[in-house]
Amino acid sequence: MTPHPDVLARARLLTDPALGTSVVHALERITGRPARRSHGTGPDGPFVYVGAALPEPLRTRDLVWFHSVNAGTDALLAGGRWPEDALLTRTVGRMGERIAQYAAAWILAECQSVPEHTAQHARAEWRRLPAEFVGGQTVVVHGTGHIGSAVAGLLRRLSLRTVGVRRAPGGETPHFDHIVPAGSAEEAAELGAARWVVSTLPSTAATERFFDAARFTAMSGASFLNAGRGATVDMAALESALRTGTVRRAVLDVLPDEPAGPQAPVWRLPRTVVTSHSAGITADEDVVTDFARCWEAVVRGRAPALTVDTARGY
């Protein structure tokens, strides 16, 4: 629920102790009030909190708004009961652009045989390798929100055919050539036609192990790139698909269990690269810019565009 402007006017500003000084000063300028770094206790009366996590003692009726410095809020919502009527917003910033560049980089690297050339260089081996033309091939993007749309937009400019997969109908999707419902026969057909499959899915109860044996089997040799959340992938099913060849390669920026220790099985998956949750690192400027936009909306009595539906998890 969007807090009433009168309540917002008298709300205290609390910040996560981990936030940088420059960010805190910027938040003070935006809100016109001093910030107090919170170590787990809140003030008497309404307050706004900006940070990565919400300590249990702050999950009270006095919390009117929490702005997350991260794009994903699954860990935040799983951390305990969410205060009734408290607004939750998130930071997206330029994450869509960053993840789009990440996806494009790995797709082009595969087309130009970068992994093979790198291996040949290590062996001091001279052997010409053919390049694969990216134009006209199909990429299936799971998730058609802010990040998925940015991915599709950049890949479409590289002349790929972009297919979006989503669970809920509705909404504009200008960067996709085609949209299919999740779990439909159309999705299975597009997975079979895809050269690449990119996931930008959030972690919710509905997306847990979304990429299962059936979806990986349907891919028929596509390369799989996960820049969403690790919990959306059944890792045993992915390993089986990599070993049988229904998945050609995997690039995993996120894992079900992070960080992965040296003995984690993921390091031994064939034709797989793990990039340690670095595809869309949030910058301080993203936090400040998105909070400012949310603040302006709330002051005007509007729901910010970056509001999270706490029931759905995104």
Side-chain angles (χ1 to χ4, degrees):
M1 177 181 292
T2 304
H4 192 278
D6 290 345
V7 174
L8 189 66
R10 55 189 177 87
R12 299 284 298 275
L13 174 63
L14 273 62
T15 61
D16 190 318
L19 287 188
T21 302
S22 63
V23 174
V24 174
H25 288 339
L27 298 177
E28 290 177 325
R29 288 194 300 271
I30 293 165
T31 61
R33 67 202 69 191
R36 193 190 93 190
R37 291 185 182 272
S38 172
H39 294 274
T41 59
D44 293 330
F47 66 93
V48 174
Y49 191 94
V50 180
L54 182 61
E56 184 59 34
L58 297 180
R59 292 176 182 259
T60 70
R61 293 176 62 111
D62 287 330
L63 174 68
V64 296
W65 175 15
F66 182 96
H67 182 78
S68 173
V69 300
N70 299 314
T73 56
D74 46 297
L76 183 67
L77 292 173
R81 179 189 58 82
W82 190 254
E84 186 177 1
D85 296 335
L87 173 67
L88 173 60
T89 57
R90 64 193 184 117
T91 299
V92 173
R94 303 186 71 176
M95 182 172 292
E97 296 173 65
R98 292 187 178 100
I99 292 180
Q101 291 181 14
Y102 174 91
W106 283 102
I107 287 173
L108 292 174
E110 186 172 10
C111 286
Q112 295 298 320
S113 300
V114 170
E116 292 80 6
H117 280 297
T118 301
Q120 284 187 182
H121 178 90
R123 299 191 300 266
E125 177 183 350
W126 177 282
R127 181 165 58 91
R128 297 180 72 185
L129 297 172
E132 181 179 357
F133 195 67
V134 70
Q137 301 210 58
T138 294
V139 57
V140 174
V141 180
H142 285 77
T144 59
H146 176 86
I147 294 173
S149 293
V151 170
L154 181 55
L155 297 182
R156 197 179 190 188
R157 291 197 290 276
L158 293 174
S159 300
L160 279 95
R161 173 178 174 265
T162 57
V163 177
V165 179
R166 66 181 178 194
R167 293 191 304 117
E172 295 184 3
T173 52
H175 298 303
F176 292 93
D177 294 303
H178 188 45
I179 297 290
V180 298
S184 65
E186 293 94 332
E187 181 197 3
E190 292 293 358
L191 288 174
R195 175 62 181 82
W196 291 277
V197 176
V198 178
S199 174
T200 66
L201 293 178
S203 179
T204 68
T207 62
E208 185 174 357
R209 297 193 177 188
F210 180 90
F211 290 97
D212 54 11
R215 281 190 169 86
F216 285 129
T217 299
M219 287 182 192
S220 302
S223 292
F224 175 67
L225 188 154
N226 188 10
R229 283 292 183 265
T232 63
V233 177
D234 181 331
M235 294 299 291
L238 174 59
E239 178 175 8
S240 177
L242 284 163
R243 297 195 183 282
T244 60
T246 57
V247 171
R248 185 180 311 200
R249 296 179 188 272
V251 178
L252 306 175
D253 189 54
V254 289
L255 300 172
D257 298 306
E258 297 178 2
Q263 303 306 315
V266 69
W267 300 115
R268 296 184 290 278
L269 291 179
R271 304 182 308 284
T272 296
V273 175
V274 175
T275 58
S276 308
H277 212 141
S278 58
I281 296 174
T282 303
D284 286 351
E285 63 207 51
D286 295 331
V287 176
V288 173
T289 299
D290 281 359
F291 179 81
R293 289 172 178 163
C294 291
W295 179 266
E296 181 180 0
V298 173
V299 166
R300 295 175 181 271
R302 302 195 308 263
L306 294 171
T307 297
V308 175
D309 183 334
T310 57
R312 297 173 68 182
Y314 57 92

